[in-house]
Amino acid sequence: MPSSDRSAQIGALYQEMILDHYRRPRNKGELERADESVLMKNPLCGDEIGVQVRFDGDVVSDLSFSGRGCSISQASASMMTQLVKGKKLEEVEALRSKFRDMVMGDAQAADDSALGSARALSGVCKFPARVKCALLAWNALETALAKRTE
Amino acid sequence: MSRRSDFPLLVANPGLHYLDSAATSQKPSVVLDALRNFYETANANPHRGAYALSVAATDAYDGARQKVAGFVGVADPDCLIFTRGTTESLNLIATSWGRTNLEAGDEIIVTALDHHANFVPWQQLAISVGATLRICEITSEGRLDLDCFAQFLSPKTKLVAVGHVSNALGTINPIKEIVAMVRERTDAVIVCDGAQGVPHLRVGFDELGVDFYAFSGHKMCGPMGIGGLIGKRELLEAMPPYQMGGDMVEFVYDDRTTWNVLPHKFEAGTPNAADAVGLAAAVGYLEGIGMDEVLRHERSLVAEASERLSQIEGITIYGPPAAERSGVVSFTLGDVHPHDLATILDGDGICIRAGNHCAQPLMRRLDVSATARASFYVYNEKSDIDALVEGVLKAKEIFGHAVV
Ligand SMILES: Cc1ncc(COP(=O)(O)O)c(C=O)c1O
């Protein structure tokens, strides 16, 4: 229900950084020589995000995303690709779980500089209906990593 | 005159702008009182007890059927089957009528405008019996393309499923014209999804000429979990039951069973008497306003909302002109995703729907993944439009001037 609190939360959600990633997504498009490719749908809204990953040993050497969706899902995907590129699989997994904790409302995770620009999405925790949007790309990445270790 | 005061949820939340009545309407106190009154004064299992209280429950349930039947214009109340709602009603027809009467090579016509509830059951029926599904396309204004429809009609057409009013765009389909076209060329059975019809229009089943008509109570001020299927008697009598159990039987032998008469044949198990009584109270509430006034009120709000929204740069409104729609304004704002718009509006207590509106085939044809939808009903007022317009302007500001 409306309140000035809610207005402030809206402001915190739609930060400049998020809108910037929405309008100018990083690492969007087809990835050449991808090792794994996963398409994830948010059945609620029909938005979909594809994640393509290339590995070099146990390092995510490159990745990209595709698809269309809301600013939260698009910005989250864009920030994720920047964050995990060049990281080892175990580091990626640690970031994923930290990001998840953050959007579920864990204040400590939101303070962790390891999450870099993705911390701009911490405001999502106040919007339970939008948490799925923020996690869509990360879930796709998780599936891609799981497929690789199979 | 404000009707907000009739709705306890709206009274308790003065700052709330509820613009999602196409999904479900709010409930007036007369409906809530009727539910409570049933449980406090008449609660027993209808049809089963030889005692006064059970008779009271049965009378309340039968009375509700008469009242609702009168409202939807079916002279024979036994042809109104109470169901959980539109979805169950349509599945009942697809299963009971469809599986008995359709075979490989037959054709079913559905439309690209329809809700998944009036699309998927027919698609799956077609797949399972080997029938062909024909999808009537829409015009650029979001109306059914009747030329396309006419081309599909042939002696092979066995079933036509069409919505009365589109929940996604508000388009009111010319049902009588469609019935005339079908009857002239085929013997097809016509199913009409009235989920968005009954809440907004005066529906007369007997005049409309369709064979089956489905609707939901919760979109017309009634409780969730109750709705109806109206069918022509000769069709309903020839159909096998949909579910088996108590109440729907006449004699149960060791090796066979005979069925109860209409409407009981299609109402297996303990009926939802309380919600039927609640629905009858909702009908009473709408009759008190008058359906002509309901539509006039919605149209004036839709006209004003459409007019004011369309003045905002970047807004696209979908569907036919406002004067031809029911209470729906479906729109997008530049590259602002409808979900973001809904979240921003929610921040100011404005409830709109964002998404595909259970109409993915339609969204593909409009070439959007989602739209924002504001839908109006009897309790909405000009102040709701003011809030909506302000909220949209705010979203535009948050997303910056570059709304493209
Ligand atoms: C046009 C239309 N058809 C069918 C349905 C399904 O109704 P229900 O969910 O009440 O079964 C709805 C509402 O969601 C609708 O708007």
Side-chain angles (χ1 to χ4, degrees):
Chain A
M1 311 269 148
S3 70
S4 55
D5 255 19
R6 203 60 179 156
S7 257
Q9 288 166 355
I10 296 276
L13 181 65
Y14 292 105
Q15 293 175 23
E16 208 43 55
M17 173 98 81
I18 289 173
L19 300 179
D20 180 60
H21 276 265
Y22 177 49
R23 291 260 162 71
R24 299 190 304 114
R26 326 296 200 264
N27 303 307
K28 187 161 182 180
E30 288 292 306
L31 182 69
E32 273 176 39
R33 294 178 291 114
D35 295 311
E36 293 296 348
S37 171
V38 169
L39 188 67
M40 279 267 161
K41 265 189 197 267
N42 183 346
L44 206 70
C45 56
D47 286 351
E48 56 182 41
I49 281 197
V51 169
Q52 298 183 301
V53 193
R54 190 162 65 231
F55 300 101
D56 183 1
D58 65 348
V59 169
V60 171
S61 59
D62 204 357
L63 78 169
S64 74
F65 80 100
S66 58
R68 59 181 181 178
C70 63
S71 65
I72 305 299
S73 70
Q74 296 289 298
S76 179
S78 170
M79 290 167 170
M80 177 188 84
T81 58
Q82 286 191 315
L83 192 59
V84 307
K85 196 185 280 196
K87 296 257 178 10
K88 287 187 165 172
L89 293 183
E90 60 203 53
E91 292 174 288
V92 173
E93 178 47 32
L95 287 169
R96 192 189 65 78
S97 100
K98 202 163 283 175
F99 181 83
R100 193 188 166 77
D101 290 348
M102 179 186 80
V103 294
M104 303 296 235
D106 181 337
Q108 228 175 337
D111 270 345
D112 195 328
S113 58
L115 284 176
S117 64
R119 282 188 296 170
L121 282 160
S122 64
V124 170
C125 69
K126 296 288 192 309
F127 298 84
R130 307 303 302 276
V131 169
K132 267 208 182 90
C133 310
L135 287 174
L136 198 57
W138 286 92
N139 289 340
L141 179 62
E142 180 187 24
T143 307
L145 299 191
K147 272 168 78 177
R148 171 183 163 77
T149 48
E150 257 166 25
Chain B
M1 185 194 65
S2 171
R3 286 187 206 100
R4 249 186 110 92
S5 57
D6 298 338
F7 292 80
L9 185 143
L10 299 177
V11 171
N13 296 283
L16 191 75
H17 299 282
Y18 187 75
L19 295 174
D20 197 18
S21 297
T24 197
S25 71
Q26 295 301 334
K27 321 302 174 198
S29 37
V30 287
V31 168
L32 305 177
D33 293 346
L35 290 172
R36 192 176 180 95
N37 187 54
F38 175 84
Y39 284 120
E40 283 182 351
T41 66
N43 181 51
N45 204 317
H47 309 308
R48 292 188 190 171
Y51 49 88
L53 192 60
S54 175
V55 173
T58 309
D59 286 350
Y61 187 52
D62 292 349
R65 193 186 312 276
Q66 302 235 345
K67 177 93 182 164
V68 177
F71 186 65
V72 292
V74 55
D76 181 353
D78 293 343
C79 292
L80 167 63
I81 319 290
F82 279 127
T83 64
R84 281 199 301 127
T86 307
T87 303
E88 187 176 47
S89 299
L90 294 170
N91 277 279
L92 190 163
I93 309 165
T95 303
S96 171
W97 188 90
R99 292 190 188 255
T100 322
N101 291 285
L102 289 191
E103 55 189 35
D106 289 343
E107 296 190 359
I108 300 174
I109 304 180
V110 296
T111 88
L113 197 52
D114 269 272
H115 189 282
H116 295 159
N118 197 28
F119 189 95
V120 182
W122 312 121
Q123 178 195 61
Q124 294 301 309
L125 175 65
I127 292 170
S128 71
V129 303
T132 303
L133 191 74
R134 304 265 181 219
I135 304 172
C136 176
E137 293 298 330
I138 54 167
T139 66
S140 57
E141 275 200 326
R143 292 192 181 86
L144 289 182
D145 181 345
L146 293 183
D147 293 334
C148 174
F149 186 78
Q151 279 170 15
F152 286 151
L153 286 172
S154 85
K156 286 190 192 160
T157 312
K158 291 292 154 60
L159 185 137
V160 172
V162 59
H164 198 169
V165 176
S166 156
N167 65 306
L169 301 181
T171 312
I172 301 175
N173 290 324
I175 299 299
K176 283 191 177 164
E177 195 179 329
I178 288 170
V179 168
M181 289 168 76
V182 174
R183 298 291 186 233
E184 197 187 326
R185 312 256 308 267
T186 79
D187 295 324
V189 157
I190 306 170
V191 179
C192 187
D193 171 354
Q196 303 290 343
V198 184
H200 310 287
L201 307 172
R202 184 184 297 284
V203 173
F205 175 80
D206 291 337
E207 302 151 40
L208 204 55
V210 300
D211 297 297
F212 294 105
Y213 193 94
F215 62 99
S216 299
H218 68 95
K219 294 181 194 287
M220 49 186 286
C221 295
M224 291 182 174
I226 188 84
L229 168 64
I230 320 167
K232 291 205 172 139
R233 180 174 274 277
E234 60 276 18
L235 290 170
L236 291 171
E237 284 186 337
M239 282 156 58
Y242 175 54
Q243 291 181 332
M244 315 290 164
D247 268 0
M248 49 76 66
V249 297
E250 181 192 35
F251 296 110
V252 179
Y253 305 99
D254 282 2
D255 60 347
R256 70 201 156 88
T257 297
T258 59
W259 314 129
N260 200 343
V261 295
L262 294 176
H264 312 293
K265 183 171 97 175
F266 291 105
E267 293 185 357
T270 300
N272 187 355
D275 288 328
V277 167
L279 177 56
V283 161
Y285 181 76
L286 291 174
E287 282 175 343
I289 299 170
M291 290 311 288
D292 294 337
E293 170 59 19
V294 168
L295 187 62
R296 191 206 60 75
H297 178 74
E298 286 174 11
R299 281 233 167 110
S300 75
L301 292 172
V302 164
E304 181 179 341
S306 302
E307 167 66 23
R308 287 172 63 187
L309 286 174
S310 63
Q311 285 167 11
I312 299 173
E313 201 194 327
I315 288 269
T316 305
I317 296 180
Y318 299 88
E324 296 169 42
R325 297 197 301 264
S326 79
V328 170
V329 185
S330 207
F331 63 100
T332 51
L333 172 65
D335 72 348
V336 181
H337 193 281
H339 267 200
D340 292 318
L341 192 54
T343 295
I344 293 168
L345 292 178
D346 183 40
D348 290 325
I350 305 154
C351 312
I352 63 158
R353 173 91 183 259
N356 59 47
H357 317 295
C358 299
Q360 290 176 24
L362 173 64
M363 294 294 119
R364 279 195 296 279
R365 283 154 177 92
L366 297 176
D367 197 24
V368 292
S369 64
T371 71
R373 180 189 72 187
S375 51
F376 297 86
Y377 208 27
V378 292
Y379 33 74
N380 289 115
E381 318 178 323
K382 192 174 171 313
S383 63
D384 297 318
I385 302 176
D386 295 341
L388 174 68
V389 169
E390 246 175 74
V392 170
L393 289 171
K394 179 169 169 181
K396 198 173 146 133
E397 194 183 303
I398 288 176
F399 270 74
H401 43 86
V403 169
V404 283

